[in-house]
Amino acid sequence: MAKESEEIGDDMYRRISEIANASFAEKILRDSERDNNLKVLGVSINPATSRGDNYTSDMFRATVEYTCQENSEIITKTKSLIVKVEPLTEGVHQDMISKSSLFSTEISMMTDTLPLMNELLGPDSRPLNGRALYTQSQNPPLLVIEDLAPLGFHMADRQAGLDMDHCLLAIRNLARFHASSVALLERDLNQKTKYTRGIFDKNQPAEMQLFFKQATAEISKEITNWPELDPSIPEKIRKLADTIYEKGCMASACRENEFVVLNHGDFSVNNMLFKYNESNRPIEHIFVDFQLCLYTSPAIDLNYFFNTSLTDDTLMLHEETLINEYTCSLTSAMAKANCATKPPSLEEVKAMMRDRALYGMIAAINVFPFLLANKEEIGDLNEVFSRADNPAYKGKLYRKAMIRRLPKFDQMGILD
């Protein structure tokens, strides 16, 4: 097995090579290609993401060279697979992920729920996700997923944020995701009981709760140095730190007799891929990473997306247009999926978002800085937990955006 990138440390390379070896790849490809005579010649390992692009797993791209028979000839081919593993390095990061339900949630989504959702969208509809080729629940928990890069899909620039073209594709596909989940719930009420936690839940490990409280406290200290802000704002955020996680739980909770959908739960620029045309304009969108899915108000995905992934101008100038586009697309997709449930009106969607605006504020304070940080300045969650002066909170892009957003949150009354 060859290591093509020095970005993988020796210990990490040894561990992943023990997992994603030739016999492992051969077993998966024989099944996915439906060819029991296929022979794997070798596997090369590369990182599948850059620093700062993924925090809940270790991800690798395994490029597999193999032989198979075509038209009575033995030919050599290559295929790349994404291997997503529960964090392999010991520390707070590994402890937090192993204690949570993240991998079991994603395995359930990829093997059960998403295939049903895709089916309900119709045979002519493009899939919401790439295929799961193999899953394993322990020793260690992992998924092997179809690599979407050869199909033309790539991650957008998380620091640049998404412009209107990207946002329209994303919001329309989010409506399809939500609509198919409504159709599925109408047919199988048990689906709702599978996805109840998300990132904010009293049963999540203490380390996850600590992250939000610690980050909020540190950011309140940082913004005291921003003279552009009213001095009352840092003080309000400082007071929020001790209760920020509990407030997140209340904001994300599923309520009786409300319109609910299966939320992606981490609907941000890091967890979606785009395909581009010759002019480098986005033409297709697809979801990745289903570890935080939960049934609750669609305002959770919408507030999270708007406060983590849009360019500042897109958010400030086109929020209403995007909410309207979501509502129209949801109504259309629910009709195509033959939903009996009545879709919400535009005013109802706006009311949902106002009611759960606190969730968007929490995302802006705690998630947004890491999406804007330079990859050289941030590390994995072990590093995030071990340092109080994280450079992600000091970034120029984050400061520029939050100087505009924090007064808006204050005017809405959600900092009190």
Side-chain angles (χ1 to χ4, degrees), residues 69-185:
Q69 185 171 316
E70 280 190 12
N71 300 322
S72 302
E73 247 185 282
I74 301 296
I75 62 171
T76 301
K77 290 185 173 184
T78 60
K79 190 177 186 71
S80 58
L81 310 171
I82 298 298
V83 183
K84 185 173 186 177
V85 192
E86 187 174 280
L88 296 170
T89 303
E90 293 182 359
V92 176
H93 186 195
Q94 186 188 69
D95 290 343
M96 184 177 77
I97 302 306
S98 65
K99 290 175 185 175
S100 72
S101 60
L102 300 190
F103 265 80
S104 61
T105 295
E106 185 158 31
I107 288 172
S108 177
M109 281 294 297
M110 294 291 286
T111 59
D112 173 35
T113 302
L114 281 164
L116 294 172
M117 288 166 61
N118 282 315
E119 185 178 328
L120 287 166
L121 288 171
D124 298 326
S125 294
R126 63 191 184 281
L128 297 166
N129 60 293
R131 291 182 301 145
L133 304 178
Y134 176 81
T135 65
Q136 137 180 335
S137 59
Q138 57 187 352
N139 300 322
L142 65 82
L143 301 94
V144 179
I145 306 167
E146 172 185 24
D147 188 359
L148 295 167
L151 301 179
F153 286 96
H154 305 283
M155 188 180 292
D157 185 339
R158 60 180 171 82
Q159 289 184 299
L162 301 179
D163 62 17
M164 197 59 171
D165 287 346
H166 286 85
C167 287
L168 285 170
L169 282 174
I171 213 77
R172 288 166 185 158
N173 214 20
L174 181 65
R176 294 175 68 241
F177 186 96
H178 286 173
S180 62
S181 76
V182 173
L184 180 59
L185 189 60

Side-chain angles (χ1 to χ4, degrees), residues 224-249:
T224 59
N225 302 316
W226 298 358
E228 304 94 328
L229 292 178
D230 186 298
S232 66
I233 291 178
E235 178 61 18
K236 288 180 179 181
I237 292 176
R238 184 191 65 78
K239 291 179 179 179
L240 274 175
D242 286 342
T243 58
I244 194 76
Y245 194 82
E246 290 77 7
K247 287 180 181 292
C249 291

Side-chain angles (χ1 to χ4, degrees), residues 355-391:
D355 187 43
R356 298 179 188 253
L358 177 71
Y359 197 89
M361 181 273 289
I362 294 173
I365 289 177
N366 292 280
V367 178
F368 193 38
F370 294 95
L371 292 173
L372 293 182
N374 295 323
K375 66 180 182 179
E376 298 82 10
E377 296 177 340
I378 54 177
D380 63 21
L381 285 186
N382 289 328
E383 294 174 74
V384 171
F385 275 101
S386 66
R387 58 187 303 181
D389 60 337
N390 197 296

Side-chain angles (χ1 to χ4, degrees), residues 28-45:
I28 292 167
L29 285 184
R30 283 185 173 186
D31 183 56
S32 65
E33 302 295 312
R34 297 178 181 174
D35 181 357
N36 287 328
N37 295 315
L38 179 152
K39 300 283 188 185
V40 167
L41 304 176
V43 182
S44 299
I45 297 292

